[in-house]
């Protein structure tokens, strides 16, 4: 089946049921919920109209045939509840009509996909959009899969499949609509904040909600935040709502547009200054221009944070900080109040913490071993981790000559070169 035929799933199956007196029915239904049948659109309690007695004083509780085989399947708690109510287990066999509406996504897909092939019903939810990553053997069934996802998930009105890898320039990817409406403008709520954006033209990952909250929880009212790769604003808007002054940048014109929109949507547009630059250009331009004055005024009551959430490339951009304030006659405050950076990177190495730290040190040209924290954000794929390196910017990097320490000199990253060429 490559075109969904819902009527083909109608069938009658036999399931176990326990006959219960109506006077204790409600109490026993709660006590037996672990073994009761749970099916979308089906009632667990039915009339005893298939038995010999129809006196109205008894009803049947349908049981899950996967977990209940006989009266001995009742656990100690269930058995005790039945005994306390004076009920001797009387098991019946009930003829149950199942339809497409009563089946779960996995069951429908397992029935239509060739036997032995993986069944994919998982997806990322972005507002009304379900985003899937189908494998090659599932593509002949892609439209059927999309329709099943819409049918089984209230609120989902569009199902899309990623058709290429994330673009290294704008962090978005091409997608194909599998089912439903072709409406890519999503409305989502994350950490109490509302966002709107065109999902087909910007980057958004609902799995990063916890990380956004973790980093912003480190900020205090009055802090200054430079969000180098801001996207549509999941860090920036949340930080502004916390009372921070935010300078947010993104190279993608669409992300820049929705970043401004989300600032207004959440009434923090006066707290966020937006830019549409390349990350390195933003660091050496707007950030460089504002940093000396911010350092003079910063202290125990406020701090400066730089967020660099572009895991594929952010570590390579750290070299933009080498000698950024070289020549500034005011050497600034103690290193403890120099900007604190939160830089993201992917790693496929056996020791991802060590890997991302080493790459950060190479870009900066100095050691960070005694002054940084490395946090594991999430597992992206088998043998691929997303990491966050947090550290206070070393004074020798910020104010020194653009010369690396011995042992930290390497060729520029090929990924960075490729990124720059696409600008």
């Amino acid at each position: 089946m490559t075109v969904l035929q819902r009527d083909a799933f109608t069938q009658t199956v036999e399931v176990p049921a326990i006959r219960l007196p109506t006077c204790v029915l409600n109490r026993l239904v709660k006590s037996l919920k672990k073994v009761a049948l749970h099916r979308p659109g089906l009632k667990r309690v039915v009339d005893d109209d298939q038995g010999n007695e129809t006196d109205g004083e008894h009803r049947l509780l349908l049981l899950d045939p996967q977990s209940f085989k006989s009266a001995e399947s009742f656990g100690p708690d269930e058995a005790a509840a039945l005994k306390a109510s004076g009920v001797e287990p009387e098991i019946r066999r009930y003829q149950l009509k199942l339809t497409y509406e009563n089946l779960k996504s996995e069951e429908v897909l397992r029935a239509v996909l060739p036997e032995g092939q993986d069944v994919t019903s998982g997806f990322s939810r972005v507002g009304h959009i379900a985003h899937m990553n189908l494998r090659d053997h599932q593509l002949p069934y892609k439209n059927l899969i999309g329709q099943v996802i819409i049918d089984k998930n209230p609120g989902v009105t569009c199902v899309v499949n990623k058709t290429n890898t994330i673009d290294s320039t704008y962090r978005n990817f091409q997608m194909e609509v599998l089912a439903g409406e072709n409406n890519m403008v999503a409305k989502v709520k994350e950490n109490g904040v509302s966002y709107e954006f065109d999902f087909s033209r910007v980057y958004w990952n609902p799995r990063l909600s916890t990380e956004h909250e973790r980093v912003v929880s480190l900020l205090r009212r009055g802090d200054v935040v430079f969000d180098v790769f801001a996207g549509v604003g999941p860090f920036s808007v949340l930080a502004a709502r916390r009372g921070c002054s935010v300078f947010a940048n993104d190279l993608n014109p669409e992300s820049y547009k929705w970043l401004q929109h989300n600032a207004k949507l959440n009434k923090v547009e006066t707290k966020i200054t937006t830019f549409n630059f390349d990350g390195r250009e933003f660091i050496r331009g707007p950030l460089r221009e504002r940093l000396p004055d911010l350092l003079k005024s910063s202290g125990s009551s406020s701090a400066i944070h730089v967020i660099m959430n572009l895991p594929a490339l952010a570590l390579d951009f750290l070299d933009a900080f080498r000698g950024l304030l070289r020549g500034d006659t005011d050497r600034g405050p103690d290193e403890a109040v120099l900007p604190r950076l939160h830089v993201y990177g992917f790693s496929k190495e056996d020791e991802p913490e060590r890997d991302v730290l080493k790459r950060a040190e190479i870009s900066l040209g100095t050691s960070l071993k005694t002054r940084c924290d490395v946090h594991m954000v999430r597992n992206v794929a088998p043998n691929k981790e997303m990491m966050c390196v947090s550290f206070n910017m070393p004074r020798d990097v910020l104010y020194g000559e653009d010369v690396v320490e011995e042992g930290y000199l390497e060729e520029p990253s090929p990924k960075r070169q490729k990124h720059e060429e696409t600008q």
Side-chain angles (χ1 to χ4, degrees):
M1 185 186 299
T2 55
V3 177
L4 185 60
Q5 301 171 36
R6 296 175 179 83
D7 292 343
F9 293 91
T10 300
Q11 57 183 310
T12 299
V13 297
E14 189 177 76
V15 299
I18 182 171
R19 189 167 180 262
L20 300 174
T22 55
C23 60
V24 293
L25 183 65
N26 289 339
R27 180 167 68 250
L28 286 178
V29 166
K30 293 180 181 178
S31 300
L32 302 177
K33 62 182 178 180
K34 289 184 179 180
V35 293
L37 183 68
H38 296 275
R39 281 278 159 186
L42 280 182
K43 295 180 179 180
R44 288 176 291 174
V45 178
V46 298
D47 291 332
D48 184 17
D49 55 3
Q50 295 180 340
N52 296 323
E53 300 180 33
T54 56
D55 57 12
E57 296 183 1
H58 293 82
R59 301 195 75 190
L60 297 179
L61 172 65
L62 302 184
L63 304 175
D64 184 357
Q66 298 298 321
S67 58
F68 187 91
K69 304 300 181 183
S70 66
E72 287 71 31
S73 298
F74 287 124
D77 293 340
E78 289 91 358
L82 290 169
K83 184 176 181 180
S85 299
V87 175
E88 186 70 27
E90 183 180 347
I91 306 302
R92 301 279 183 90
R93 308 306 296 182
Y94 185 85
Q95 299 298 313
L96 177 67
K97 182 181 179 180
L98 286 178
T99 67
Y100 171 81
E101 285 70 27
N102 308 135
L103 299 177
K104 301 174 183 178
S105 300
E106 295 83 354
E107 295 170 322
V108 174
L109 297 180
R110 192 175 294 114
V112 300
L113 265 65
E115 187 175 353
Q117 293 189 354
D118 293 336
V119 174
T120 296
S121 61
F123 58 87
S124 295
R125 178 96 181 244
V126 182
H128 67 284
I129 302 170
H131 166 223
M132 308 191 76
N133 291 320
L134 296 183
R135 299 181 179 181
D136 289 343
H137 71 268
Q138 297 160 341
L139 293 179
Y141 310 91
K142 60 185 180 182
N143 298 117
L144 181 150
I145 293 173
Q147 189 58 56
V148 171
I149 296 302
I150 286 180
D151 290 346
K152 300 299 180 180
N153 295 275
V156 171
T157 59
C158 175
V159 181
V160 300
N161 182 46
K162 185 171 72 172
T163 59
N164 70 342
T165 57
I166 293 177
D167 179 86
S168 62
T169 306
Y170 290 155
R171 291 196 294 172
N172 58 1
F173 46 79
Q174 295 179 355
M175 58 183 70
E176 175 186 15
V177 177
L178 304 182
E181 60 181 338
N182 188 6
N183 174 17
M184 292 295 114
V185 177
K187 298 180 180 180
V188 303
K189 197 155 191 176
E190 178 185 277
N191 298 319
V193 179
S194 298
Y195 300 93
E196 296 178 356
F197 48 83
D198 185 336
F199 184 55
S200 67
R201 306 185 71 178
V202 305
Y203 178 81
W204 179 269
N205 190 335
R207 295 185 178 93
L208 295 178
S209 170
T210 301
E211 180 63 11
H212 297 149
E213 185 178 33
R214 181 188 74 86
V215 172
V216 174
S217 70
L218 304 175
L219 310 178
R220 298 173 296 177
R221 177 174 295 276
D223 284 355
V224 177
V225 176
F226 290 93
D227 195 352
V228 183
F229 309 106
V232 300
F235 278 117
S236 294
V237 175
L238 195 59
R241 283 169 57 95
R242 195 173 178 85
C244 299
S245 297
V246 181
F247 299 93
N249 171 74
D250 202 274
L251 175 63
N252 183 352
E254 279 291 315
S255 296
Y256 173 71
K257 179 183 79 173
W258 290 106
L259 170 63
Q260 294 179 313
H261 173 83
N262 290 322
K264 293 178 181 178
L265 180 66
N266 290 281
K267 298 180 173 57
V268 291
E269 65 269 32
T270 60
K271 302 290 290 183
I272 300 179
T273 305
T274 57
F275 303 87
N276 183 207
F277 294 145
D278 166 73
R280 189 170 280 104
E281 184 182 1
F282 173 72
I283 293 170
R284 292 175 175 168
L287 190 155
R288 164 67 180 87
E289 294 165 5
R290 291 163 175 78
L291 193 54
D293 288 339
L294 289 172
L295 289 174
K296 292 176 185 177
S297 60
S298 65
S300 59
S301 61
S302 63
I304 303 169
H305 292 262
V306 180
I307 300 173
M308 301 176 68
N309 182 26
L310 182 61
L313 297 169
L315 292 168
D316 296 331
F317 278 78
L318 286 174
D319 65 358
F321 287 94
R322 290 185 188 169
L324 189 67
L325 298 185
R326 183 173 59 247
D328 196 310
T329 55
D330 187 343
R331 299 286 290 177
D334 294 336
E335 190 164 293
V337 293
L338 289 176
R340 185 158 183 81
L341 277 69
H342 310 277
V343 188
Y344 292 84
F346 292 134
S347 178
K348 295 183 178 181
E349 301 298 323
D350 293 336
E351 299 181 67
E353 295 89 351
R354 183 177 180 180
D355 174 50
V356 293
L357 175 57
K358 181 66 175 179
R359 286 156 55 197
E361 292 175 331
I362 289 171
S363 289
L364 291 169
T366 192
S367 173
L368 295 173
K369 292 179 181 177
T370 61
R371 45 192 174 190
C372 81
D373 300 308
V374 182
H375 174 75
M376 205 284 277
V377 179
R378 72 184 188 97
N379 176 254
V380 178
N383 302 317
K384 185 178 182 180
E385 312 290 344
M386 180 177 175
M387 313 296 295
C388 178
V389 184
S390 296
F391 58 92
N392 281 49
M393 175 58 65
R395 178 187 296 277
D396 58 330
V397 173
L398 201 58
Y399 290 96
E401 296 296 324
D402 190 9
V403 178
V404 298
E405 293 179 7
E406 184 179 356
Y408 291 99
L409 182 60
E410 290 198 0
E411 290 297 319
S413 165
K415 284 188 176 181
R416 186 174 73 243
Q417 290 177 326
K418 180 179 178 181
H419 182 79
E420 290 175 336
E421 289 166 0
T422 60
Q423 304 314 303

